[in-house]
Amino acid sequence: MDPGSSPLHYINDLNRTAWNASILHAANTGLEVMALPPREVFLEVTAHCNIKCPMCPVTTGLDRNRGTMAYELFEKVLEDVAGRVPQMSLFLAGEPLLHKRIFDMIAAASSRGIFTRIHTNVLLLNEEKIQQIFRSGLDELSFSFDGPTKERYDRVRVGGDYDKCIGLIRRVMEVKRERRASKPFTRIQIIYFNGEDPVEQEREMRAIFAENLPDELKVVPAHSWAGEYQEFVRYRENVGQADKLSICHMPWDRMAITWDGNVVGCCNDFLAKYHNGNVREQSVLDVWNSPAYQRLRRAVHAKDYQSLEMCRGCDVPWAGDRPLPMWKRQAARVLYGGLKTWRAIRGTLVPSPHESDAVRPTISK
């Protein structure tokens, strides 16, 4: 049977549609307290990196403390979210393969039914780690390549190794073919800058990896990292036009946790300018509806980005999303209600902020 026509495929598609519609409904109606958990949790397993990309805050301005997440804290987060949060991305700032127990983390989350993914610059892989990718149960593996030429790679990936990177990506694809593995889903990503041709970059990538193509090649524009790099602002033509200012969905969609447990504003808030709480002292789901998160949702729904330091110069709100027609708003409301009811039946909704659950364990500092 074609995997694309299997019952599981349709169930996954329906689930994805319900989540996307629910986030849309929550953002557009301005829900401040979420009954649904975050769709995705970003977990910064380390804030360190092995290369120095000039367009990344880790290289140019990460003035907060850097460190590596304790496995005990990871286990606490996993216990908080298992059965509720569908997806965990084990990266934020930093290179996830630097964590000595990254594959233990992936395996533990996968065993609890969580979709896992990492985004890596590849260079720390070796044959044993490549085999661990497949043994761990990883669902999605994204390679940050930023070629396609050696000259460009060396300029963007300072301290990297162009030939080694290509060789390792090819080897991962070879092993996937040898194992006849259906996962992880693989993606090669390149960032393009103003004046560059994304179509030509994709064509060159396809030529390089012709015999070892990943599941997806993705060429994406550089972005401003929550306003830190104004030269990379997207949607520049929209900036300043009130009718182009959109509601950013991130406060209703995903949570980003730094290596030391701080829950920051969003997955672009590398500099941790906004704090929603810390999962060492609180459960992940308690932080999700903390007063700080509610204030963030209130400001974003009102499009009051000027009141939020991390949002002030960000390009995401200027995407110029068009207002939804009535039928789409109604459909989103129905799907939100359906997903909420299904999760209520399963007992996987988020406890209300006023509910006094059993005392939750904290992690000693």
Side-chain angles (χ1 to χ4, degrees):
M1 178 186 289
D2 177 5
S5 61
S6 69
L8 181 59
H9 172 82
Y10 288 121
I11 291 171
N12 288 339
D13 272 357
L14 179 60
N15 188 48
R16 190 178 302 111
T17 300
W19 269 106
N20 290 340
S22 297
I23 293 161
L24 192 66
H25 171 77
N28 287 344
T29 56
L31 294 181
E32 293 177 16
V33 176
M34 290 292 290
L36 294 177
R39 179 183 60 87
E40 178 177 19
V41 167
F42 281 82
L43 210 55
E44 183 181 74
V45 297
T46 181
H48 297 291
C49 193
N50 55 317
I51 58 176
K52 297 185 180 298
C53 303
M55 73 295 190
C56 178
V58 177
T59 299
T60 63
L62 198 67
D63 55 0
R64 59 181 170 88
N65 290 336
R66 303 192 190 209
T68 296
M69 180 171 285
Y71 195 78
E72 183 185 16
L73 178 56
F74 163 77
E75 289 182 308
K76 193 251 181 208
V77 171
L78 178 59
E79 192 61 35
D80 285 350
V81 304
R84 297 179 188 264
V85 174
Q87 181 166 307
M88 182 180 286
S89 296
L90 291 136
F91 62 93
L92 191 66
E95 166 53 48
L97 293 180
L98 280 169
H99 199 293
K100 293 180 179 179
R101 300 196 66 181
I102 183 62
F103 294 109
D104 292 334
M105 292 174 165
I106 293 167
S110 296
S111 72
R112 302 295 292 271
I114 298 175
F115 184 97
T116 56
R117 69 186 188 111
I118 63 172
H119 185 62
T120 173
N121 61 46
V122 188
L123 296 168
L124 296 175
L125 285 177
N126 54 34
E127 188 62 27
E128 171 56 25
K129 289 179 180 178
I130 290 173
Q131 298 298 332
Q132 285 183 296
I133 287 171
F134 296 92
R135 294 197 296 263
S136 67
L138 182 67
D139 291 289
E140 184 177 304
L141 175 61
S142 178
F143 307 109
S144 189
F145 177 45
D146 289 331
T149 66
K150 185 177 188 306
E151 179 277 328
R152 187 182 187 278
Y153 177 93
D154 290 345
R155 175 164 45 87
V156 176
R157 296 276 156 184
V158 177
D161 186 321
Y162 176 78
D163 293 323
K164 181 179 181 181
C165 184
I166 291 175
L168 287 168
I169 293 173
R170 286 173 173 167
R171 180 55 185 153
V172 171
M173 300 314 303
E174 286 172 0
V175 172
K176 185 176 180 181
R177 188 170 62 246
E178 291 166 1
R179 285 174 166 262
R180 298 182 180 179
S182 60
K183 66 179 192 178
F185 181 89
T186 53
R187 174 187 298 111
I188 298 177
Q189 179 174 295
I190 283 185
I191 293 174
Y192 72 90
F193 302 96
N194 289 335
E196 294 184 324
D197 182 358
V199 175
E200 176 60 20
Q201 288 189 333
E202 182 174 339
R203 188 194 66 77
E204 291 182 31
M205 274 206 299
R206 287 190 179 278
I208 292 170
F209 297 100
E211 296 180 4
N212 306 93
L213 278 174
D215 297 299
E216 182 182 32
L217 293 173
K218 192 171 185 180
V219 185
V220 298
H223 65 89
S224 70
W225 288 115
E228 289 304 307
Y229 301 96
Q230 286 301 301
E231 65 269 35
F232 299 147
V233 167
R234 300 165 295 176
Y235 323 118
R236 198 176 294 273
E237 66 280 4
N238 293 345
V239 175
Q241 299 185 51
D243 62 331
K244 300 294 185 181
L245 191 59
S246 307
I247 297 173
C248 175
H249 293 174
M250 290 189 189
W252 293 269
D253 181 17
R254 58 193 67 169
M255 175 186 281
I257 304 172
T258 60
W259 67 272
D260 51 357
N262 284 323
V263 179
V264 295
C266 76
C267 59
N268 287 331
D269 187 16
F270 274 27
L271 302 188
K273 291 181 177 178
Y274 192 93
H275 283 248
N276 289 299
N278 189 292
V279 297
R280 287 179 180 272
E281 290 87 28
Q282 296 174 275
S283 80
V284 170
L285 297 181
D286 282 347
V287 175
W288 182 235
N289 280 324
S290 66
Y293 240 127
Q294 292 181 50
R295 285 194 299 272
L296 175 61
R297 293 183 184 120
R298 190 179 311 128
V300 171
H301 180 256
K303 302 181 184 179
D304 183 17
Y305 297 109
Q306 290 303 310
S307 69
L308 301 167
E309 185 183 358
M310 69 165 180
C311 300
R312 225 168 272 154
C314 186
D315 52 5
V316 173
W318 294 105
D321 296 339
R322 295 179 180 178
L324 288 178
M326 178 62 71
W327 73 268
K328 282 192 175 182
R329 293 201 300 272
Q330 291 176 338
R333 178 177 56 81
V334 169
L335 285 168
Y336 168 80
L339 184 58
K340 186 177 173 182
T341 299
W342 170 243
R343 284 189 155 254
I345 293 170
R346 296 176 62 205
T348 57
L349 289 177
V350 178
S352 299
H354 63 273
E355 292 181 10
S356 55
D357 293 345
V359 176
R360 297 179 174 88
T362 61
I363 302 295
S364 58
K365 293 183 178 179

